[in-house]
Amino acid sequence: QSVLTQPPSASGTPGQRVTISCSGSSSNIGSNYVYWYQQLPGTAPKLLIYSNNQRPSGVPDRFSGSKSGTSASLAISGLRSEDEADYYCSTWDDSLSGPGVFGGGTKLTVL
Amino acid sequence: EVQLVESGGGLVQPGGSLRLSCIVSGFTFSSYEMNWVRQAPGKGLEWVSYISSRGTTIYYADSVKGRFTISRDNAKNSLYLQMNSLRAEDTAVYYCARSYGDYESALGYWGQGTLVTVSS
């Protein structure tokens, strides 16, 4: 059971805008940056968003991140078939003595 | 080009040990924080361990604390994960990952992963 809660699944049709939520608490999302990762089937995860809303070079601006209080969201606009993947949010948790934490992941299906 | 290549995975019996290695190239290894992240078959990601650039700060997930040891050799551009007292629930693909620029909590570069299977 992760300290970050994501919906297990999401879906959309090509061209649509979809959002994936990530809910936490004051000790994690509420006081730390949020990161988002995309994992295509059979591949290693890829950093999609860092510091709540920044995109690494090469990530299309169709992907955007936001944070408000103890929740964060990843939005994907102009949905494409190649966006079908698992998406994970991540952050640090100040109440834990370990490294960062991940959400349980959201499987995005492009209908 | 940044490259991270893991090795050392395989089949091991419960209670056994394994040492994973991650050899990197394409960047100044000694300048970056490194991490191990694992993914059990069909499951989500779990952040296993973190080590600072000089090895002075180390974190472990509670699930591996006391059994796993992360280390690095900056002269050999290598990251390690010594895994002892392995359990069935440690079965997973293990990825090494590097921080993204100055953002030490952002895992910007990943290896291809190495599979560890704990079974009798």
Side-chain angles (χ1 to χ4, degrees):
Chain A
Q1 197 80 352
S2 175
V3 297
L4 303 179
T5 301
Q6 296 181 237
S9 64
S11 63
T13 56
Q16 264 191 331
R17 181 178 188 271
V18 297
T19 61
I20 297 172
S21 62
C22 177
S23 177
S25 66
S26 58
S27 65
N28 44 65
I29 292 178
S31 50
N32 293 286
Y33 285 127
V34 176
Y35 309 89
W36 289 92
Y37 299 88
Q38 176 193 60
Q39 187 176 33
L40 298 170
T43 69
K46 169 189 172 182
L47 179 65
L48 212 54
I49 298 289
Y50 66 98
S51 299
N52 300 334
N53 55 18
Q54 302 299 302
R55 286 185 306 276
S57 58
V59 173
D61 59 7
R62 300 187 297 108
F63 296 90
S64 62
S66 64
K67 172 184 146 178
S68 178
T70 59
S71 294
S73 292
L74 172 71
I76 309 172
S77 60
L79 197 62
R80 298 182 177 184
S81 58
E82 56 260 40
D83 297 333
E84 187 160 292
D86 294 322
Y87 293 85
Y88 296 89
C89 60
S90 177
T91 187
W92 285 79
D93 193 309
D94 297 335
S95 69
L96 303 176
S97 58
V101 291
F102 289 99
T106 298
K107 180 170 182 56
L108 175 64
T109 300
V110 181
L111 302 170
Chain B
E1 180 191 4
V2 172
Q3 286 194 319
L4 299 85
V5 180
E6 303 94 338
S7 61
L11 175 63
V12 61
Q13 292 188 336
S17 298
L18 215 52
R19 188 196 198 204
L20 305 184
S21 299
C22 173
I23 298 177
V24 310
S25 60
F27 63 98
T28 304
F29 180 63
S30 59
S31 297
Y32 291 92
E33 297 78 16
M34 297 295 296
N35 303 265
W36 287 100
V37 175
R38 69 183 179 183
Q39 186 170 35
K43 302 296 184 182
L45 302 173
E46 180 184 14
W47 204 324
V48 173
S49 187
Y50 158 99
I51 186 168
S52 60
S53 58
R54 288 190 286 182
T56 53
T57 300
I58 287 174
Y59 298 115
Y60 296 102
D62 285 345
S63 57
V64 307
K65 203 171 293 182
R67 301 186 299 122
F68 289 13
T69 302
I70 190 172
S71 63
R72 63 190 296 161
D73 186 334
N74 287 344
K76 294 183 178 180
N77 287 348
S78 296
L79 174 73
Y80 306 102
L81 186 67
Q82 177 66 43
M83 304 186 296
N84 299 329
S85 303
L86 283 162
R87 307 166 179 168
E89 54 265 35
D90 296 318
T91 294
V93 173
Y94 286 74
Y95 297 100
C96 65
R98 196 206 88 175
S99 59
Y100 180 70
D102 293 333
Y103 302 92
E104 64 175 16
S105 302
L107 306 181
Y109 299 90
W110 298 65
Q112 84 288 350
T114 186
L115 176 63
V116 172
T117 303
V118 183
S119 175
S120 54

